[in-house]
Amino acid sequence: MPVTAAEIAKAGKSALDFYASKKPTDQIATERPFLKKLVAKKKSFPGAKQFINEKLLTSYGSNAQWFWGNQAVTYNSRDPLTDANFSYRAMHDGFEVSEHELRQNGIAVTDARKPGQAASAEEIQLVANYFDMQMEVLQSGVEQWLDMQLHRAGTHSPEAVTGLDALVSLAPTTGVIGGIDRATAIYWRNHASTAITGATLLDKMEKAWRACTKNGGKPDFIMAGADFVDAYQAAALAAGKQIVVQAGSGNVEGSTPEFLFHGVPVVWNPVFDDLDAIEAPATKWAKRCYFLNTNHLRLRDASGDWMQAREPKRDADKYVHKFAITSTLGMTMNRANAHAVLAIA
């Protein structure tokens, strides 16, 4: 007995709900480390007219002074807070399937809605299996696309969010980020060091670490491209850093163990190679390394709109069923000087 359009919609929606809500970061633990880190610390924002607002303490406005005896003192008014405003955007990915395509997969569809016309359990399982495959592909595609977008500056599209390449900039003294001009707002600049050689790499990394920790906190996530990881490995070994092998293990391991910097793993991000392929930047992503404090760099989603499963109604003039995932999100920063970017020559 054929399945009904309502049963098709129900099976598709159920599969989509599962992949969107139960497996939002499936298979990205090593392949997409930046997205995994952001999603793990994601915060929601309530309804906003245009921007996600971050409150910044930019000045103490001190009026401290020496005095003695009956000498007059002065008072001042203070406005120590500044707003950083980040745009949020809506994301969509979806697919459609015609009833002819369903029939080619052994699924016959009818518009019958009479009571008792439900398809057999075997037919419903066939529909469920088909949509499980479709939804897994949809979810994986969303993750791949979103991860790429969150790395990029956002200048490639007027509808794109402001991403890492703009927030933690290779040129931190220029540009307006969150409505604040970095040319004049010194506090709103990340640390940047480029054209680094192997001989100076460790020294530059130490200076970047100190710059990130100067105002409190420390980087909790370090990610780098393949070229930088190789350079760091070579510099560490050249500096006499020892690889410790567990005595008596009886194993011979040819790979290099995980490298740390101040106790934080230096994570290779393979997405950097993909970014080089599509952007061809002057400073290759593969040569970069980012020191990030994820308490001050956030993925923000609109309350109730993160990886939402959507099932638009079928058009009356087309025998086509549609399914989609949507999110409303942005990236924000409330301290620029907590982050650094380095790049080897």
Side-chain angles (χ1 to χ4, degrees):
M1 183 182 299
V3 295
T4 67
E7 288 166 336
I8 287 287
K10 182 178 180 180
K13 185 67 160 54
S14 296
L16 189 56
D17 280 337
F18 176 76
Y19 282 101
S21 62
K22 303 301 183 184
K23 301 170 67 176
T25 57
D26 189 33
Q27 298 182 13
I28 67 172
T30 56
E31 296 176 12
R32 308 193 190 285
F34 186 46
L35 181 60
K36 181 192 177 185
K37 189 71 174 181
L38 290 175
V39 170
K41 302 187 75 170
K42 175 174 60 68
K43 282 192 173 182
S44 297
F45 67 91
K49 186 174 182 180
Q50 186 177 2
F51 298 107
I52 308 170
N53 180 273
E54 291 278 8
K55 292 288 186 183
L56 312 179
L57 177 61
T58 59
S59 172
Y60 296 128
S62 176
N63 188 42
Q65 54 203 268
W66 297 108
F67 79 99
W68 183 257
N70 65 352
Q71 185 177 356
V73 296
T74 62
Y75 296 82
N76 68 355
S77 60
R78 305 183 186 190
D79 184 17
L81 298 181
T82 297
D83 289 339
N85 299 309
F86 297 89
S87 297
Y88 60 89
R89 294 289 185 261
M91 177 202 75
H92 156 89
D93 195 2
F95 74 94
E96 62 182 26
V97 55
S98 71
E99 293 186 0
H100 284 154
E101 183 180 347
L102 290 169
R103 187 175 293 276
Q104 289 169 351
N105 283 274
I107 303 169
V109 183
T110 178
D111 280 332
R113 298 178 181 275
K114 295 180 180 179
Q117 293 295 310
S120 67
E122 290 80 5
E123 287 171 305
I124 289 295
Q125 187 60 47
L126 180 63
V127 174
N129 290 340
Y130 175 82
F131 277 104
D132 277 348
M133 180 269 294
Q134 294 287 349
M135 300 310 172
E136 185 170 4
V137 171
L138 175 61
Q139 181 67 33
S140 296
V142 166
E143 292 170 355
Q144 179 187 49
W145 180 86
L146 180 58
D147 188 35
M148 294 283 285
Q149 297 298 308
L150 295 177
H151 283 81
R152 305 180 73 181
T155 55
H156 59 286
S157 168
E159 305 304 328
V161 298
T162 301
L164 178 68
D165 198 21
L167 298 176
V168 184
S169 176
L170 290 163
T173 61
T174 61
V176 176
I177 299 296
I180 301 173
D181 190 351
R182 282 175 157 167
T184 55
I186 297 175
Y187 66 85
W188 203 229
R189 300 172 185 173
N190 60 269
H191 179 85
S193 182
T194 59
I196 300 171
T197 64
T200 61
L201 179 59
L202 296 181
D203 179 58
K204 296 292 186 181
M205 292 177 73
E206 287 290 352
K207 289 180 178 178
W209 183 270
R210 291 197 295 269
C212 292
T213 59
K214 178 180 177 180
N215 297 104
K218 66 179 183 178
D220 61 354
F221 184 59
I222 300 175
M223 63 177 177
D227 292 349
F228 192 98
V229 170
D230 291 342
Y232 177 53
Q233 173 182 322
L237 294 176
K241 307 299 182 183
Q242 299 297 314
I243 299 176
V244 179
V245 180
Q246 185 176 356
S249 65
N251 297 324
V252 177
E253 176 61 66
S255 64
T256 304
E258 180 183 54
F259 272 92
L260 309 175
F261 190 75
H262 283 274
V264 181
V266 179
V267 178
W268 168 54
N269 189 335
V271 177
F272 284 12
D273 293 332
D274 299 331
L275 290 164
D276 281 333
I278 65 173
E279 291 187 342
T283 301
K284 293 178 61 178
W285 283 87
K287 294 179 178 293
R288 303 184 197 182
C289 176
Y290 287 87
F291 288 12
L292 303 177
N293 185 327
T294 58
N295 292 317
H296 302 292
L297 183 74
R298 293 281 189 179
L299 175 63
R300 305 285 297 272
D301 65 303
S303 298
D305 192 16
W306 172 253
M307 294 298 177
Q308 287 295 302
R310 300 296 184 95
E311 183 248 321
K313 297 299 182 182
R314 178 170 68 82
D315 297 334
D317 60 345
K318 292 182 180 180
Y319 293 97
V320 173
H321 303 268
K322 299 178 181 180
F323 301 90
I325 289 177
T326 64
S327 293
T328 301
L329 57 96
M331 275 188 69
T332 69
M333 178 173 65
N334 58 25
R335 255 190 63 196
N337 55 24
H339 317 292
V341 56
L342 304 97
I344 59 173

